[in-house]
Amino acid sequence: MNKNLWMRDIKVIPFLLPFLVVYIIFTILPVFKGLEMSFYDWSLIRKIEFVGFENYQKMLFDPHFWRSLWNTTLFVILTTPTMVLLALGLALLANLNSKLKTFFRTAFFLPSILSVAVISFLAIFMLQPYTGLLNTGLHSIGIEAEPFWMADKILSWVSIVVVTLWWSVGFNMVLFLAALQEIPESLYEASEIDGATRWEQFRYITIPQLIPIGRVVILLQILASYKVFAQILLITGGGPAGGTRPLIQYIYEVGFTQNNMGYAATMSYALFYILLIISIIQLRSQRLKES
Amino acid sequence: MKKNSVLDRNRDPLRNVKKAIGLVVAIIFIFPIIWMLFVSLKPDGFSTTNPLDWFTPPFTIANYIDLLLNSMILRWVFNSFIVALITTVLTLFITSLAAFAISQMKFRYKNIIYIFFLVGLMIPGEATIIPLYEIAKNLNLIDSYAGLILPMIASPIGVIILKSFFDSVPKEVIESAIMDGCSYFKLYYKIVLPLAKPALAAIAIFTFIGSWNDFLWPYLSILSETLYTLPVGLPVFNSTYSQAYVLPMTANAIASLPVIIVFLFFEKQIVKGISFTGIKG
């Protein structure tokens, strides 16, 4: 009996093994390796010595850690509501009954397929002072200001958020658009017979029907925004004076520039827990939706 | 349906206003991309303080030829393409095999293994990148194509999507094939895979674009200029110019045109793919 089971199960090995090996080495193992590294003084070259909770202690009292975690959180706070509302608005436009709707959808989505390197340098060349497209445009319509879009404390955040919205809102828009197209036509027909106005239809049919996908979009957006790194690194370099530096950039600098992989791994763990909690909430709410 | 939409059209007094807003927003969205293409066509060294000058002749494609022949850009295009292609093929291969096993084969601990795959969905790559670097270093994968490809191919979401597709293959088809003495490999290759073409296509497109645009991992793991992918090479290239616009924009255009073309060809599948996975490529 047992031998038969083995004979049966052995057939599955060639199917499962390739995925399993790669998955364990590159997805599962790093979680444990990271935990190990966080208890060591560990350089780019080698493991140096066991230091217990020293890295964790350091993290708790490291103002740069808290500053960059706050910057990342600020980015989440700024981008999540704007992204979700803009995505909803764009989805409504792309769902208009018009010949233009395919063009709208294409236009709104197009930036999100571009590389972060490309969109960052497009932003830099548009926003840089004296010669950038935006400032020269302002000059040509008679506004003689010279805003430093990427170096001013507040404007740099505005620039990063606007560029990120432009770049990645298309993805959320598509999620809303799919949900809009799934709302049964009969709901609108029935309400029309009852004499509902357009606004009432929107308020009492469209919005409630979009709440489940809205929840998914919000959580996916929080998750994505917590991982922010490349566009900030490339556009402001984390400046001015660390004012926009996100957590992942700080982790990178500690690991690769300051040659302290142990401490970098410790801070990665902090990020890991934040993201893990958010994804558990997300899976929960998706399950709720399905049941 | 048709009649209803005509009715709709007459009923909404704000329709034209909404269309106008949509048009303005759509133009704002594509404007930077259009600008990039126009700048890339200006003669090298061109500079202006009047924004309108970017959009008027003279135009030339000399920059494209210049960059493709005399810079590292073509090499980086090649690297990005090879890495994205191999990543896509391997992802499809190993995820479809695993999904087939979970969906169609009987074996012990199947549920545990499937849950083990699901766990991967909750592990964010960005938060494990430091230990991943350490592991890649120990396996001698730093600064190599293999190092760019291997960590990216075991995609749990791919397994989940394909499993749900394979699940919907009619039981009778599978059973009659097995009755005819069809081996599992034949069943996988001849029957189940062809039926899952739409899902495979969606995963392929996402994996390809995702790999083509990936930044963080290549940025950390590639050290030599000859192995840079475009997203890593571009900033190096661009930052050697601060006030010159034409050549950097040409480089950006070279990096973008392939994905833009792929996107315009496959827009329907991409959009559909997003709404059934809900996960960014």
Side-chain angles (χ1 to χ4, degrees):
Chain A
M1 181 63 201
N2 217 335
K3 202 183 160 200
N4 281 343
L5 275 180
W6 274 108
M7 288 302 287
R8 188 194 69 184
D9 290 356
I10 222 155
K11 286 189 188 151
V12 85
I13 289 176
F15 287 90
L16 274 184
L17 203 62
F19 184 88
L20 214 50
V21 169
V22 180
Y23 177 69
I24 288 173
I25 295 176
F26 296 108
T27 305
I28 301 297
L29 193 59
V31 178
F32 295 99
K33 191 78 189 172
L35 189 62
E36 185 199 354
M37 290 171 80
S38 71
F39 289 105
Y40 280 84
D41 184 3
W42 196 305
S43 78
L44 268 168
I45 313 293
R46 65 190 182 90
K47 172 153 75 171
I48 298 168
E49 60 174 343
F50 184 78
V51 293
F53 283 95
E54 213 172 88
N55 286 323
Y56 288 87
Q57 219 174 346
K58 186 174 172 189
M59 181 170 81
L60 289 178
F61 297 102
D62 179 358
H64 298 299
F65 166 74
W66 291 107
R67 181 69 202 272
S68 56
L69 179 59
W70 162 247
N71 285 339
T72 297
T73 310
L74 179 63
F75 179 81
V76 174
I77 295 169
L78 292 174
T79 49
T80 306
T82 45
M83 191 77 89
V84 173
L85 289 178
L86 183 62
L88 176 61
L90 296 182
L92 291 169
L93 290 174
N95 198 37
L96 279 179
N97 221 322
S98 146
K99 278 183 188 138
L100 288 167
K101 73 183 196 185
T102 315
F103 169 66
F104 286 175
R105 190 186 65 192
T106 308
F108 300 154
F109 193 74
L110 199 57
S112 30
I113 59 156
L114 298 181
S115 163
V116 66
V118 171
I119 64 102
S120 299
F121 278 91
L122 276 178
I124 290 172
F125 286 124
M126 296 189 91
L127 299 176
Q128 67 185 350
Y130 305 115
T131 59
L133 192 68
L134 184 58
N135 280 10
T136 54
L138 289 176
H139 300 161
S140 70
I141 56 168
I143 299 171
E144 284 306 323
E146 198 59 68
F148 281 62
W149 296 103
M150 298 172 292
D152 178 85
K153 221 172 127 192
I154 291 168
L155 286 183
S156 57
W157 274 116
V158 174
S159 305
I160 287 166
V161 169
V162 171
V163 170
T164 307
L165 283 176
W166 167 70
W167 177 40
S168 57
V169 72
F171 174 78
N172 291 336
M173 176 212 54
V174 168
L175 292 179
F176 274 125
L177 190 56
L180 276 174
Q181 285 162 353
E182 268 172 30
I183 301 178
E185 197 66 30
S186 58
L187 288 178
Y188 292 104
E189 283 161 13
S191 71
E192 218 157 292
I193 294 167
D194 292 343
T197 64
R198 286 224 140 225
W199 168 250
E200 283 166 342
Q201 287 183 332
F202 179 71
R203 172 69 188 79
Y204 296 107
I205 299 173
T206 313
I207 293 289
Q209 291 282 323
L210 289 179
I211 283 177
I213 190 70
R215 220 174 265 144
V216 173
V217 169
I218 290 170
L219 284 162
L220 283 177
Q221 187 53 50
I222 294 174
L223 218 48
S225 287
Y226 257 109
K227 299 176 186 172
V228 66
F229 164 66
Q231 72 266 42
I232 298 184
L233 175 82
L234 294 173
I235 294 175
T236 68
T244 56
R245 180 171 62 186
L247 184 56
I248 293 184
Q249 187 187 343
Y250 184 53
I251 291 173
Y252 162 77
E253 287 172 5
V254 165
F256 289 84
T257 319
Q258 299 172 23
N259 194 14
N260 191 344
M261 296 291 269
Y263 185 37
T266 312
M267 291 189 291
S268 301
Y269 244 79
L271 179 64
F272 179 82
Y273 282 121
I274 294 171
L275 295 174
L276 187 69
I277 291 166
I278 300 167
S279 5
I280 290 173
I281 297 174
Q282 187 213 338
L283 288 183
R284 273 264 174 86
S285 71
Q286 240 162 5
R287 199 157 305 153
L288 277 182
K289 195 189 81 183
E290 274 156 23
S291 65
Chain B
M1 280 301 263
K2 265 266 140 53
K3 211 174 146 198
N4 187 20
S5 61
V6 174
L7 235 166
D8 252 19
R9 201 166 295 184
N10 297 336
R11 268 200 45 165
D12 187 0
L14 293 174
R15 217 180 99 79
N16 285 326
V17 179
K18 287 179 191 163
K19 261 165 74 177
I21 295 173
L23 207 54
V24 170
V25 178
I27 289 169
I28 292 173
F29 265 73
I30 53 173
F31 176 73
I33 300 168
I34 303 288
W35 180 62
M36 169 180 80
L37 296 177
F38 271 104
V39 175
S40 74
L41 293 170
K42 297 301 281 185
D44 184 19
F46 182 84
S47 161
T48 177
T49 54
N50 178 4
L52 292 178
D53 287 347
W54 293 113
F55 301 97
T56 49
F59 296 122
T60 165
I61 57 158
N63 313 306
Y64 285 84
I65 296 166
D66 182 26
L67 281 190
L68 291 175
L69 294 179
N70 304 323
S71 73
M72 295 292 285
I73 301 274
L74 191 61
R75 172 81 207 201
W76 297 339
V77 171
F78 174 79
N79 290 340
S80 284
F81 182 77
I82 287 293
V83 169
L85 185 71
I86 300 176
T87 303
T88 306
V89 171
L90 289 181
T91 302
L92 288 179
F93 183 65
I94 68 171
T95 55
S96 64
L97 281 174
F100 178 83
I102 303 272
S103 168
Q104 301 293 349
M105 296 172 82
K106 287 199 183 79
F107 55 95
R108 282 172 293 173
Y109 312 118
K110 184 154 114 174
N111 282 335
I112 294 175
I113 290 175
Y114 191 48
I115 290 168
F116 181 57
F117 288 172
L118 291 176
V119 168
L121 283 181
M122 294 191 291
I123 301 175
E126 284 80 356
T128 53
I129 206 104
I130 297 282
L132 179 62
Y133 182 89
E134 183 65 26
I135 290 166
K137 195 188 79 191
N138 292 335
L139 296 172
N140 267 324
L141 290 173
I142 295 302
D143 213 21
S144 71
Y145 281 153
L148 288 180
I149 294 164
L150 290 175
M152 302 300 150
I153 60 174
S155 149
I157 186 76
V159 175
I160 292 162
I161 293 168
L162 286 174
K163 176 195 173 286
S164 67
F165 247 80
F166 294 169
D167 284 347
S168 63
V169 176
K171 276 234 155 56
E172 306 84 65
V173 176
I174 308 270
E175 273 161 14
S176 71
I178 291 179
M179 293 281 266
D180 291 346
C182 192
S183 74
Y184 276 124
F185 275 108
K186 232 174 162 181
L187 191 64
Y188 158 79
Y189 184 72
K190 284 255 158 87
I191 297 174
V192 176
L193 269 196
L195 287 171
K197 264 188 196 148
L200 291 169
I203 294 172
I205 294 165
F206 277 112
T207 311
F208 192 92
I209 293 182
S211 168
W212 180 272
N213 287 339
D214 193 17
F215 180 79
L216 183 57
W217 180 240
Y219 180 70
L220 296 183
S221 71
I222 296 299
L223 312 166
S224 16
E225 212 174 308
T226 49
L227 284 178
Y228 280 173
T229 56
L230 269 173
V232 183
L234 278 182
V236 175
F237 181 86
N238 284 339
S239 57
T240 54
Y241 299 85
S242 63
Q243 299 301 332
Y245 282 68
V246 174
L247 284 183
M249 279 306 175
T250 311
N252 287 330
I254 291 172
S256 308
L257 284 171
V259 274
I260 293 178
I261 292 165
V262 169
F263 171 69
L264 293 178
F265 262 102
F266 296 108
E267 181 171 358
K268 265 214 176 112
Q269 284 95 317
I270 292 175
V271 168
K272 228 190 247 160
I274 293 175
S275 39
F276 76 54
T277 64
I279 298 288
K280 215 173 267 204

